[in-house]
Amino acid sequence: MTAPVVIVGASHASVQAIDTLRREGFEGPITLVGEEPHLPYNRPPLSKKYLSGELPVERLPLRRQQFFDDAGDNLRLGTRVTALDCGARRLRLNDGNEVSYDRLILSVGSRPRLLDVPGHQLAGIHYLRNIADVDAIRAGLTAARRVIVVGAGYIGLEVAASVKRLGFEVTVLEMADRPMHRVVAPEISRFYTDLHAREGVQILCNTSVTAFDGDEHVREVICGDRHLPAELVVVGIGILPEVTLAEAAGIQCDNGILVDEQCRSSDPSVYAAGDCTNHPSVRYGRRLRLESVDNAVEQARTAASNICGKPARHDHTPWFWSDQYETKLQIAGVSQGYDQTVMRGDPATGRFALYYLANGELLAVDAVNAPRDFMVGKRWVAERKSPDANKLADAGVDLKTI
């Protein structure tokens, strides 16, 4: 196949798509259009080692320029797509140019959910999605002492851990009754509440931000009748799939761009991969929208294979991770719908795993500093195993014998 392929979004998915296209023998032109001026880069470190200054910006790119040169790619970085014409198979760019395609891959990711309360426009209030966002946060820290993080999800807690290690006073505000409430069981939430407390970070749950106050620059976060002083605020209350371009072009969207098992959208010439998609899960028998590097990479691989005429379907056990202080949380599977949890190990030791089951079948596992539980659990989730709960709870029983 030699007809042109265009990829919108400089991301993990775009790099994987290029790699798979070339490995599968695609010889036609590939154009990559990305809004940011950077080569596609590794995003998970943004809230961790890049924010803390441990990782320089030079080490963020997923591939060097030579990779794209060798592949013969046309990079259009620092360029935004303003319109998609599916009938003409053409993209309009913000620089006035147009790009035609035979097949298109949308790997446009997501955008931060905004906190629209009085004072939200004040300087010193930040979101974290890209390099520029982190650079702005780091610059703001030079004149700050007290930092408030709004949202106790993965990003919020990672930011809190990174900023605390830099020596700042950090408070996390969460409107739900516990941290990471959407993705983990109460046992995991308690562990992370205690972990942050030991490090000196206070997590205030059942707390909603009603306003920000300050003269041009934020100085207080207002939560009802409570006023919390802060010189810098980071808001991490979730993300929304970036579907603006697809919706305007008439592509079907519903909590993401709707794709099939081949990662093809409602327009047969348009594929999509990553956080922007809503896909049918073979394993769980329902549609999912996953915010995961792993999912983005696997969907890109599937889309590229199908473009090359090599049928493939996205049938992959999702997994996620979060690094906070010296603690690594690894999650395999999706726990929604569980009716039983089994604890293996003791949270007090900082090394344990929580298994989620439904009617005896393993749905997911959360492994805290327990890589073996994660690897075995990931395989069991894919194979739809129903492990003996009593044996699973006994850390003295080798996983291989269960």
Side-chain angles (χ1 to χ4, degrees), residues 76-99:
R76 304 291 295 270
L77 302 178
T79 304
R80 180 169 53 87
V81 177
T82 58
L84 164 60
D85 184 340
C86 291
R89 297 191 183 184
R90 185 170 58 238
L91 297 165
R92 187 176 304 117
L93 309 180
N94 66 335
D95 60 8
N97 291 313
E98 294 184 344
V99 177

Side-chain angles (χ1 to χ4, degrees), residues 98-111:
E98 294 184 344
V99 177
S100 297
Y101 65 86
D102 182 72
R103 294 292 183 270
L104 174 67
I105 300 177
L106 297 175
S107 60
V108 290
S110 55
R111 64 183 188 276

Side-chain angles (χ1 to χ4, degrees), residues 209-230:
V209 175
T210 53
F212 298 106
D213 190 28
D215 298 324
E216 296 187 356
H217 194 284
V218 66
R219 61 180 177 84
E220 283 188 332
V221 179
I222 302 173
C223 305
D225 58 0
R226 189 170 188 177
H227 291 233
L228 302 171

Side-chain angles (χ1 to χ4, degrees), residues 36-38 41 45-58 60 124-143 159 166 232 234:
E36 294 184 70
H38 312 284
Y41 58 87
L46 292 181
S47 57
K48 300 181 275 288
K49 289 188 175 183
Y50 184 63
L51 175 57
S52 69
E54 298 174 66
L55 188 70
V57 69
E58 294 80 15
L60 285 178
I125 299 172
H126 301 269
Y127 294 83
L128 195 160
R129 197 63 188 156
N130 55 40
I131 287 176
D133 294 335
V134 181
D135 289 345
I137 293 171
R138 290 170 63 176
L141 287 173
T142 61
V159 168
L166 291 173
L232 187 140
V234 180

Side-chain angles (χ1 to χ4, degrees), residues 62-393:
L62 294 166
R63 297 293 182 97
R64 299 300 178 186
Q65 181 68 46
Q66 191 64 44
F67 167 80
F68 301 98
D69 292 342
D70 291 344
D73 302 330
N74 176 25
L75 298 184
R76 304 291 295 270
L77 302 178
T79 304
R80 180 169 53 87
V81 177
T82 58
L84 164 60
D85 184 340
C86 291
R89 297 191 183 184
R90 185 170 58 238
L91 297 165
R92 187 176 304 117
L93 309 180
N94 66 335
D95 60 8
N97 291 313
E98 294 184 344
V99 177
S100 297
Y101 65 86
D102 182 72
R103 294 292 183 270
L104 174 67
I105 300 177
L106 297 175
S107 60
V108 290
S110 55
R111 64 183 188 276
R113 188 184 298 273
L114 303 180
L115 183 56
D116 187 10
V117 298
H120 68 90
Q121 78 286 350
L122 290 170
I125 299 172
H126 301 269
Y127 294 83
L128 195 160
R129 197 63 188 156
N130 55 40
I131 287 176
D133 294 335
V134 181
D135 289 345
I137 293 171
R138 290 170 63 176
L141 287 173
T142 61
R145 180 171 64 87
R146 296 161 297 190
V147 176
I148 286 182
V149 177
V150 182
Y154 292 141
I155 295 297
L157 294 182
E158 290 171 0
V159 168
S162 298
V163 173
K164 182 60 183 178
R165 283 295 172 88
L166 291 173
F168 294 88
E169 179 183 319
V170 182
T171 301
V172 179
L173 308 179
E174 171 56 53
M175 66 182 299
D177 61 353
R178 58 188 178 87
M180 299 187 290
H181 69 285
R182 290 192 304 114
V183 292
V184 300
E187 296 93 326
I188 303 294
S189 294
R190 282 195 295 271
F191 173 82
Y192 276 92
T193 299
D194 294 343
L195 172 64
H196 281 271
R198 289 194 300 271
E199 296 286 343
V201 173
Q202 185 179 25
I203 300 176
L204 302 179
C205 294
N206 298 306
T207 303
S208 296
V209 175
T210 53
F212 298 106
D213 190 28
D215 298 324
E216 296 187 356
H217 194 284
V218 66
R219 61 180 177 84
E220 283 188 332
V221 179
I222 302 173
C223 305
D225 58 0
R226 189 170 188 177
H227 291 233
L228 302 171
E231 293 79 38
L232 187 140
V233 175
V234 180
V235 179
I237 56 173
I239 60 177
L240 298 171
E242 184 50 78
V243 299
T244 306
L245 189 66
E247 278 189 329
I251 294 173
Q252 292 180 9
C253 299
D254 182 7
N255 186 29
I257 300 170
L258 295 176
V259 297
D260 59 18
E261 293 178 4
Q262 286 73 43
C263 297
R264 185 185 292 110
S265 76
S266 57
D267 183 312
S269 66
V270 179
Y271 295 75
D275 293 4
C276 63
T277 67
N278 184 320
H279 72 276
S281 169
V282 178
R283 168 62 180 82
Y284 293 101
R286 65 179 187 274
R287 281 193 166 273
L288 297 175
R289 188 179 69 79
L290 300 176
E291 300 163 9
S292 160
V293 169
D294 170 66
N295 182 68
V297 167
E298 291 300 324
Q299 285 189 316
R301 181 179 287 118
T302 298
S305 294
N306 283 296
I307 288 173
C308 290
K310 299 185 178 181
R313 72 173 186 169
H314 182 55
D315 179 10
H316 185 70
T317 301
W319 64 275
F320 317 82
W321 81 94
S322 177
D323 294 324
Q324 299 170 40
Y325 309 109
E326 281 72 52
T327 299
K328 178 178 285 292
L329 169 64
Q330 293 173 291
I331 298 176
V334 177
S335 61
Q336 293 172 354
Y338 73 91
D339 56 30
Q340 179 186 7
T341 60
V342 177
M343 180 70 74
R344 182 177 174 85
D346 183 0
T349 67
R351 182 185 179 89
F352 67 98
L354 189 70
Y355 291 78
Y356 299 80
L357 299 94
N359 297 318
E361 182 181 304
L362 185 64
L363 294 181
V365 59
D366 296 344
V368 177
N369 293 328
R372 179 165 174 73
D373 285 86
F374 168 71
M375 293 302 296
V376 173
K378 184 171 181 285
R379 187 175 72 247
W380 286 352
V381 169
E383 296 173 352
R384 308 187 75 119
K385 296 292 187 182
S386 297
D388 185 302
N390 292 325
K391 291 181 179 179
L392 192 59

